[in-house]
Amino acid sequence: MPELPEVERAARILRRAAAGKTLACVSLMHPSLRRKLSPHRLRTLRGAVVTRVLRRGKHQLLELQDGRTIHVHFRMAGDWDIGTATDTLPRHARATLEFENGTRVALVDPRALSTLTLHAAGDSPLPELGPEPSDAAFTPASLAAVLTRRKGPIKPVLLDQRILAGVGNIYASESLWHAHISPRAVAATLTPERLERLIREIRYVLGPAAQLPARYRQARGSGRIAVYGREGEPCRRCSTPIERIVQAGRSTYFCSVCQSS
DNA sequence: CGTATCCTGACC
DNA sequence: GGTCAGGATACG
């Protein structure tokens, strides 16, 4: 589910539930999470106070008063379920954060690819990340500068979180369609004018007005998804059948007429 | 650069 | 039974 807008929404929900609250118990249900966080380190979270909940790209950070940070990444299918400690555990709950006030935040993830890690004070929990799309410092010139060495096609580059933080596979295709840029266009050869258009369209598709509902497939037909998942269906601009190709192992959808270069 | 891998569920 | 999935990373 999650690309930047969905993670932003999730972080807000988490913030409302967790900010200022004291942790009572953190539990890991899935072995892949347990491998990364020992029972001993888990127990050290009892009594810790969550001072802030931050989002950076698709990452969520729970800052603790003692300087440590809980880092969560939803990967493909993670989400929060907010309830109370006495509720039945939701299906696919992989971890829970229980607070002293009785709130229980469950990390639900049918695919169990989400990560939850604990970082010591002073230890940066985030990998190298490019600017937020909304950042004023994200400009055609700054983008051009980091693209100069990218000899490959633009679409996989948009998924590189070191270039830009938050764009995922759906919105990469959508942004390129809106910007009339071929997903195969060589990144380094895009002119400043085309990059300006691309930046504008990335901001548009990631913007609140374009946010997807939780089940993105329901958005199909509503007009919000222009190309993603629409192989063979008519382009909304020129009626040419939308094509699906694979780039760097991921599906790309585009209109070969509107996005010929 | 592409490919395999981590997981599980949905769908053909 | 096989294929695919909105992410990221380790590797050749």
Side-chain angles (χ1 to χ4, degrees):
Chain A
M1 180 193 328
E3 293 195 34
L4 191 150
E6 292 80 22
V7 177
E8 173 61 25
R9 185 175 49 185
R12 281 198 197 130
I13 288 166
L14 176 64
R15 191 171 295 127
R16 200 179 321 136
K21 305 295 197 305
T22 303
L23 281 167
C25 183
V26 179
S27 307
L28 305 178
M29 289 81 187
H30 198 278
S32 65
L33 292 178
R34 290 183 165 162
R35 281 197 289 271
K36 290 279 183 175
L37 222 177
S38 71
H40 168 72
R41 297 221 310 144
L42 213 51
R43 279 195 295 273
T44 67
L45 287 168
R46 184 181 298 272
V49 176
V50 177
T51 48
R52 286 197 298 174
V53 174
L54 306 175
R55 179 198 60 76
R56 176 79 169 89
K58 302 175 205 171
H59 303 258
Q60 295 176 81
L61 302 174
L62 293 91
E63 286 189 350
L64 305 182
Q65 201 158 41
D66 59 23
R68 293 182 296 170
T69 305
I70 298 172
H71 171 249
V72 176
H73 196 298
F74 283 164
R75 297 290 184 101
M76 304 273 254
D79 201 2
W80 297 122
D81 176 278
I82 312 292
T84 65
T86 55
D87 291 343
T88 308
L89 209 56
R91 189 166 150 81
H92 306 309
R94 306 306 185 189
T96 56
L97 309 171
E98 289 177 25
F99 295 88
E100 286 188 348
N101 71 351
T103 297
R104 184 189 66 202
V105 177
L107 170 59
V108 293
D109 182 356
R111 287 182 68 180
L113 292 172
S114 290
T115 59
L116 186 155
T117 51
L118 176 62
H119 297 259
D123 158 24
S124 171
L126 291 174
E128 180 192 348
L129 285 177
E132 293 286 317
S134 61
D135 193 331
F138 178 52
T139 64
S142 73
L143 182 54
V146 295
L147 294 187
T148 51
R149 290 164 301 151
R150 305 295 292 240
K151 201 64 180 105
I154 182 65
K155 192 272 187 166
V157 170
L158 291 180
L159 299 181
D160 185 339
Q161 303 297 299
R162 296 168 301 182
I163 301 287
L164 180 65
V167 173
N169 203 39
I170 295 177
Y171 295 134
S173 284
E174 293 297 307
S175 301
L176 290 167
W177 181 83
H178 281 280
H180 294 74
I181 295 172
S182 168
R184 294 179 172 128
V186 173
T189 66
L190 290 169
T191 63
E193 291 75 24
R194 305 193 82 197
L195 291 179
E196 181 175 20
R197 181 72 191 272
L198 179 56
I199 289 172
R200 192 192 328 149
E201 302 302 346
I202 288 170
R203 286 175 173 152
Y204 170 74
V205 302
L206 293 182
Q211 251 187 62
L212 293 179
R215 292 279 163 265
Y216 79 95
R217 288 168 211 284
Q218 293 175 1
R220 289 183 51 188
S222 75
R224 278 187 284 202
I225 293 289
V227 286
Y228 191 86
R230 295 190 63 239
E231 182 179 16
E233 295 175 40
C235 171
R236 297 200 199 285
R237 283 191 298 246
C238 74
S239 299
T240 302
I242 297 300
E243 291 181 33
R244 174 186 178 270
I245 59 175
V246 175
Q247 297 178 294
R250 315 291 305 278
S251 291
T252 299
Y253 297 87
F254 73 112
C255 172
S256 58
V257 172
C258 290
Q259 299 168 264
S260 55
S261 64

